[in-house]
Every structure is written in C-alpha cells, then in structure tokens.
Amino acid sequence: MPNNGKRTGVQLNKKHWYEHVPKSVETSQGGKVTILGNQQIQTDRTIPNNKPDIIIHDNEKGTCMLIDIAISGDRNVIKKEAKKILKYKDLIIEKQYMWNVKTKVIPVILGANGTISQSYRKYVSNIPGKHEVKELQKTAILGTAHILQKVLM
C-alpha cells in the first residue's frame, strides 16, 4: 500500500511502493513500529488462526493491527469481510491478554472487479499511510485481467 514508510518510519527499498519487496520483519528507526508479514503470533494456548497477512505493532502507542487482505468474488465481499473479523476474534483476545496491547482486525477485501463494501473506506483509513481507494481497485482489476489473460491465452 502506498506511502506506508513515511507514517510508520519504516523505509522502503524502492522508489515505488509496488516495487518494494518486504522483509518478514520490518522495524522503524528507534523501534517504535514493527511490521510483520505472514508471521505466526505465538500465544499461550493453541489458536488455529494465528497468521494474519500483515501485523503492525506500534510499541509507542501500545496498539496492534491485524490486517488480512483478500480479493473475492464480487458477491462475496461483505461475507468475506465478516469472516475475516470472526476468524481472528480468539487471537485478538489472547494478544490483548498476553501483550497488554489494544488489538483490532482490519479486513481489506476487494471484489475481483473492484467492488468494495460500505465499511471498506473506514477500515483502510485505520492503516497508516495514504491510500487511494481508486488505486487499490485498479490494482485488483488489473490482477484479475492478468489472471484471465494467462488462462485464456
């Protein structure tokens, strides 16, 4: 997502955000923010859904965001969003208990043709950085076109 580095203090290694290849763990200078990509969260008890796509842990504010991203069939956007929130309910409770941080799930669900839910903008606005909904929709549509092109050609 564009411009995340400026707000979190994590530097991108490329000029454009879409060219950046993230490490599994990124930490800002001074250790204020840690961004984990595709990492399991260790808990005291076994929780089946403990690996969100992105985890943004703000050590200074004592907050944590569990971001789960999906491209869904256009009719399934709202259902998929609700599933993502329910999927991480146990993990939120455990993380808040163990690490004493305010934790929330941010589902980023786009339809294959760019469809979004009514609450999409609210969720995306919680993620640090500037995010153009049109750009995210464009990315989803281009990805769909790329897949179709590979299948049909």
Side-chain angles (χ1 to χ4, degrees):
M1 299 205 165
N3 301 324
N4 271 353
K6 292 178 184 172
R7 288 238 336 268
T8 60
V10 175
Q11 297 300 312
L12 302 179
N13 62 10
K14 298 287 183 181
K15 182 179 177 184
H16 301 288
W17 66 270
Y18 50 83
E19 295 173 344
H20 175 71
V21 178
K23 300 175 198 166
S24 58
V25 178
E26 299 267 2
T27 305
S28 67
Q29 294 174 347
K32 293 179 183 176
V33 177
T34 304
I35 301 174
L36 305 164
N38 205 23
Q39 296 286 313
Q40 284 187 329
I41 297 176
Q42 298 299 319
T43 55
D44 288 341
R45 62 187 180 98
T46 303
I47 296 175
N49 301 309
N50 65 348
K51 193 175 179 182
D53 294 328
I54 302 169
I55 303 163
I56 300 177
H57 194 272
D58 190 327
N59 300 315
E60 193 173 58
K61 295 179 183 174
T63 61
C64 183
M65 288 181 259
L66 308 177
I67 303 170
D68 211 354
I69 303 165
I71 303 297
S72 178
D74 284 340
R75 286 186 266 159
N76 299 326
V77 173
I78 296 169
K79 284 183 185 177
K80 193 82 158 177
E81 204 171 77
K83 278 184 180 179
K84 296 284 185 186
I85 292 169
L86 290 174
K87 177 180 177 180
Y88 294 110
K89 198 68 172 163
D90 289 340
L91 184 60
I92 288 173
I93 293 166
E94 191 70 15
K95 190 160 175 53
Q96 288 179 158
Y97 172 75
M98 285 179 57
W99 295 4
N100 196 28
V101 293
K102 185 175 165 106
T103 306
K104 62 182 166 185
V105 174
I106 301 176
V108 179
I109 313 299
L110 279 159
N113 293 324
T115 306
I116 58 173
S117 70
Q118 289 180 339
S119 53
Y120 179 82
R121 284 181 172 81
K122 178 187 80 165
Y123 286 126
V124 172
S125 69
N126 288 317
I127 302 171
K130 183 181 175 199
H131 313 288
E132 293 287 332
V133 174
K134 289 178 186 177
E135 289 297 316
L136 298 171
Q137 289 174 311
K138 181 179 169 183
T139 302
I141 292 167
L142 289 173
T144 301
H146 181 74
I147 291 168
L148 288 173
Q149 184 180 24
K150 285 198 173 263
V151 170
L152 298 175
M153 295 286 175

PDB file of all heavy atoms in Angstrom, residues 17-32:
ATOM      1  N   TRP A  17       6.045   1.995  -4.083  1.00  0.00           N
ATOM      2  CA  TRP A  17       5.623   1.013  -3.093  1.00  0.00           C
ATOM      3  C   TRP A  17       5.410  -0.365  -3.702  1.00  0.00           C
ATOM      4  O   TRP A  17       5.676  -1.371  -3.068  1.00  0.00           O
ATOM      5  CB  TRP A  17       4.347   1.482  -2.367  1.00  0.00           C
ATOM      6  CG  TRP A  17       3.146   1.558  -3.257  1.00  0.00           C
ATOM      7  CD1 TRP A  17       2.722   2.620  -3.987  1.00  0.00           C
ATOM      8  CD2 TRP A  17       2.203   0.509  -3.517  1.00  0.00           C
ATOM      9  NE1 TRP A  17       1.596   2.315  -4.696  1.00  0.00           N
ATOM     10  CE2 TRP A  17       1.240   1.016  -4.429  1.00  0.00           C
ATOM     11  CE3 TRP A  17       2.073  -0.811  -3.089  1.00  0.00           C
ATOM     12  CZ2 TRP A  17       0.183   0.271  -4.893  1.00  0.00           C
ATOM     13  CZ3 TRP A  17       1.005  -1.558  -3.562  1.00  0.00           C
ATOM     14  CH2 TRP A  17       0.082  -1.014  -4.446  1.00  0.00           C
ATOM     15  N   TYR A  18       4.927  -0.430  -4.939  1.00  0.00           N
ATOM     16  CA  TYR A  18       4.620  -1.720  -5.553  1.00  0.00           C
ATOM     17  C   TYR A  18       5.868  -2.473  -5.997  1.00  0.00           C
ATOM     18  O   TYR A  18       5.799  -3.641  -6.343  1.00  0.00           O
ATOM     19  CB  TYR A  18       3.622  -1.564  -6.710  1.00  0.00           C
ATOM     20  CG  TYR A  18       3.994  -0.496  -7.727  1.00  0.00           C
ATOM     21  CD1 TYR A  18       4.880  -0.762  -8.746  1.00  0.00           C
ATOM     22  CD2 TYR A  18       3.439   0.771  -7.635  1.00  0.00           C
ATOM     23  CE1 TYR A  18       5.215   0.210  -9.668  1.00  0.00           C
ATOM     24  CE2 TYR A  18       3.767   1.754  -8.551  1.00  0.00           C
ATOM     25  CZ  TYR A  18       4.657   1.466  -9.563  1.00  0.00           C
ATOM     26  OH  TYR A  18       4.986   2.435 -10.463  1.00  0.00           O
ATOM     27  N   GLU A  19       7.023  -1.808  -5.998  1.00  0.00           N
ATOM     28  CA  GLU A  19       8.278  -2.475  -6.326  1.00  0.00           C
ATOM     29  C   GLU A  19       8.997  -2.987  -5.080  1.00  0.00           C
ATOM     30  O   GLU A  19       9.942  -3.755  -5.168  1.00  0.00           O
ATOM     31  CB  GLU A  19       9.211  -1.504  -7.062  1.00  0.00           C
ATOM     32  CG  GLU A  19       8.699  -1.076  -8.419  1.00  0.00           C
ATOM     33  CD  GLU A  19       9.551   0.011  -9.056  1.00  0.00           C
ATOM     34  OE1 GLU A  19      10.352   0.657  -8.341  1.00  0.00           O
ATOM     35  OE2 GLU A  19       9.404   0.219 -10.267  1.00  0.00           O
ATOM     36  N   HIS A  20       8.541  -2.555  -3.917  1.00  0.00           N
ATOM     37  CA  HIS A  20       9.176  -2.909  -2.644  1.00  0.00           C
ATOM     38  C   HIS A  20       8.955  -4.386  -2.319  1.00  0.00           C
ATOM     39  O   HIS A  20       7.838  -4.882  -2.393  1.00  0.00           O
ATOM     40  CB  HIS A  20       8.590  -2.038  -1.530  1.00  0.00           C
ATOM     41  CG  HIS A  20       9.071  -2.383  -0.161  1.00  0.00           C
ATOM     42  ND1 HIS A  20      10.360  -2.129   0.260  1.00  0.00           N
ATOM     43  CD2 HIS A  20       8.444  -2.967   0.882  1.00  0.00           C
ATOM     44  CE1 HIS A  20      10.493  -2.533   1.512  1.00  0.00           C
ATOM     45  NE2 HIS A  20       9.345  -3.054   1.912  1.00  0.00           N
ATOM     46  N   VAL A  21      10.017  -5.081  -2.000  1.00  0.00           N
ATOM     47  CA  VAL A  21       9.923  -6.472  -1.563  1.00  0.00           C
ATOM     48  C   VAL A  21      10.153  -6.468  -0.053  1.00  0.00           C
ATOM     49  O   VAL A  21      11.281  -6.269   0.407  1.00  0.00           O
ATOM     50  CB  VAL A  21      10.964  -7.366  -2.278  1.00  0.00           C
ATOM     51  CG1 VAL A  21      10.869  -8.788  -1.779  1.00  0.00           C
ATOM     52  CG2 VAL A  21      10.786  -7.287  -3.776  1.00  0.00           C
ATOM     53  N   PRO A  22       9.091  -6.663   0.733  1.00  0.00           N
ATOM     54  CA  PRO A  22       9.232  -6.542   2.181  1.00  0.00           C
ATOM     55  C   PRO A  22       9.955  -7.722   2.807  1.00  0.00           C
ATOM     56  O   PRO A  22       9.894  -8.843   2.318  1.00  0.00           O
ATOM     57  CB  PRO A  22       7.785  -6.481   2.669  1.00  0.00           C
ATOM     58  CG  PRO A  22       7.010  -7.190   1.623  1.00  0.00           C
ATOM     59  CD  PRO A  22       7.724  -6.946   0.324  1.00  0.00           C
ATOM     60  N   LYS A  23      10.628  -7.438   3.908  1.00  0.00           N
ATOM     61  CA  LYS A  23      11.213  -8.491   4.730  1.00  0.00           C
ATOM     62  C   LYS A  23      10.089  -9.042   5.592  1.00  0.00           C
ATOM     63  O   LYS A  23       9.038  -8.426   5.729  1.00  0.00           O
ATOM     64  CB  LYS A  23      12.308  -7.910   5.635  1.00  0.00           C
ATOM     65  CG  LYS A  23      13.448  -7.258   4.906  1.00  0.00           C
ATOM     66  CD  LYS A  23      14.382  -6.625   5.918  1.00  0.00           C
ATOM     67  CE  LYS A  23      15.285  -5.610   5.268  1.00  0.00           C
ATOM     68  NZ  LYS A  23      15.958  -4.766   6.249  1.00  0.00           N
ATOM     69  N   SER A  24      10.298 -10.180   6.210  1.00  0.00           N
ATOM     70  CA  SER A  24       9.252 -10.738   7.069  1.00  0.00           C
ATOM     71  C   SER A  24       9.071  -9.906   8.335  1.00  0.00           C
ATOM     72  O   SER A  24       7.998  -9.892   8.928  1.00  0.00           O
ATOM     73  CB  SER A  24       9.529 -12.192   7.412  1.00  0.00           C
ATOM     74  OG  SER A  24      10.778 -12.304   8.051  1.00  0.00           O
ATOM     75  N   VAL A  25      10.128  -9.190   8.751  1.00  0.00           N
ATOM     76  CA  VAL A  25      10.040  -8.291   9.898  1.00  0.00           C
ATOM     77  C   VAL A  25      10.715  -6.973   9.538  1.00  0.00           C
ATOM     78  O   VAL A  25      11.873  -6.959   9.152  1.00  0.00           O
ATOM     79  CB  VAL A  25      10.726  -8.883  11.157  1.00  0.00           C
ATOM     80  CG1 VAL A  25      10.658  -7.911  12.318  1.00  0.00           C
ATOM     81  CG2 VAL A  25      10.109 -10.217  11.538  1.00  0.00           C
ATOM     82  N   GLU A  26       9.966  -5.876   9.629  1.00  0.00           N
ATOM     83  CA  GLU A  26      10.498  -4.533   9.384  1.00  0.00           C
ATOM     84  C   GLU A  26      10.334  -3.747  10.674  1.00  0.00           C
ATOM     85  O   GLU A  26       9.269  -3.778  11.289  1.00  0.00           O
ATOM     86  CB  GLU A  26       9.713  -3.820   8.272  1.00  0.00           C
ATOM     87  CG  GLU A  26       9.754  -4.501   6.932  1.00  0.00           C
ATOM     88  CD  GLU A  26      10.850  -3.989   6.029  1.00  0.00           C
ATOM     89  OE1 GLU A  26      11.631  -3.117   6.461  1.00  0.00           O
ATOM     90  OE2 GLU A  26      10.936  -4.468   4.898  1.00  0.00           O
ATOM     91  N   THR A  27      11.364  -3.029  11.080  1.00  0.00           N
ATOM     92  CA  THR A  27      11.284  -2.216  12.284  1.00  0.00           C
ATOM     93  C   THR A  27      11.704  -0.797  11.951  1.00  0.00           C
ATOM     94  O   THR A  27      12.665  -0.591  11.211  1.00  0.00           O
ATOM     95  CB  THR A  27      12.219  -2.772  13.380  1.00  0.00           C
ATOM     96  OG1 THR A  27      11.885  -4.147  13.598  1.00  0.00           O
ATOM     97  CG2 THR A  27      12.038  -2.033  14.686  1.00  0.00           C
ATOM     98  N   SER A  28      10.971   0.174  12.502  1.00  0.00           N
ATOM     99  CA  SER A  28      11.309   1.570  12.261  1.00  0.00           C
ATOM    100  C   SER A  28      12.567   1.938  13.029  1.00  0.00           C
ATOM    101  O   SER A  28      12.964   1.241  13.967  1.00  0.00           O
ATOM    102  CB  SER A  28      10.157   2.477  12.692  1.00  0.00           C
ATOM    103  OG  SER A  28       9.999   2.417  14.103  1.00  0.00           O
ATOM    104  N   GLN A  29      13.175   3.039  12.630  1.00  0.00           N
ATOM    105  CA  GLN A  29      14.341   3.530  13.368  1.00  0.00           C
ATOM    106  C   GLN A  29      13.882   3.902  14.766  1.00  0.00           C
ATOM    107  O   GLN A  29      12.912   4.610  14.938  1.00  0.00           O
ATOM    108  CB  GLN A  29      14.943   4.739  12.663  1.00  0.00           C
ATOM    109  CG  GLN A  29      15.535   4.417  11.311  1.00  0.00           C
ATOM    110  CD  GLN A  29      15.984   5.665  10.573  1.00  0.00           C
ATOM    111  OE1 GLN A  29      15.666   6.772  10.927  1.00  0.00           O
ATOM    112  NE2 GLN A  29      16.747   5.445   9.502  1.00  0.00           N
ATOM    113  N   GLY A  30      14.521   3.418  15.761  1.00  0.00           N
ATOM    114  CA  GLY A  30      14.118   3.673  17.136  1.00  0.00           C
ATOM    115  C   GLY A  30      13.170   2.621  17.678  1.00  0.00           C
ATOM    116  O   GLY A  30      12.828   2.642  18.853  1.00  0.00           O
ATOM    117  N   GLY A  31      12.727   1.697  16.831  1.00  0.00           N
ATOM    118  CA  GLY A  31      11.892   0.583  17.274  1.00  0.00           C
ATOM    119  C   GLY A  31      10.478   0.939  17.693  1.00  0.00           C
ATOM    120  O   GLY A  31       9.844   0.193  18.421  1.00  0.00           O
ATOM    121  N   LYS A  32       9.960   2.067  17.219  1.00  0.00           N
ATOM    122  CA  LYS A  32       8.600   2.471  17.597  1.00  0.00           C
ATOM    123  C   LYS A  32       7.535   1.594  16.954  1.00  0.00           C
ATOM    124  O   LYS A  32       6.526   1.291  17.563  1.00  0.00           O
ATOM    125  CB  LYS A  32       8.354   3.929  17.229  1.00  0.00           C
ATOM    126  CG  LYS A  32       9.185   4.911  18.023  1.00  0.00           C
ATOM    127  CD  LYS A  32       8.912   6.328  17.595  1.00  0.00           C
ATOM    128  CE  LYS A  32       9.806   7.287  18.364  1.00  0.00           C
ATOM    129  NZ  LYS A  32       9.637   8.662  17.904  1.00  0.00           N
TER     130      LYS A  32
END
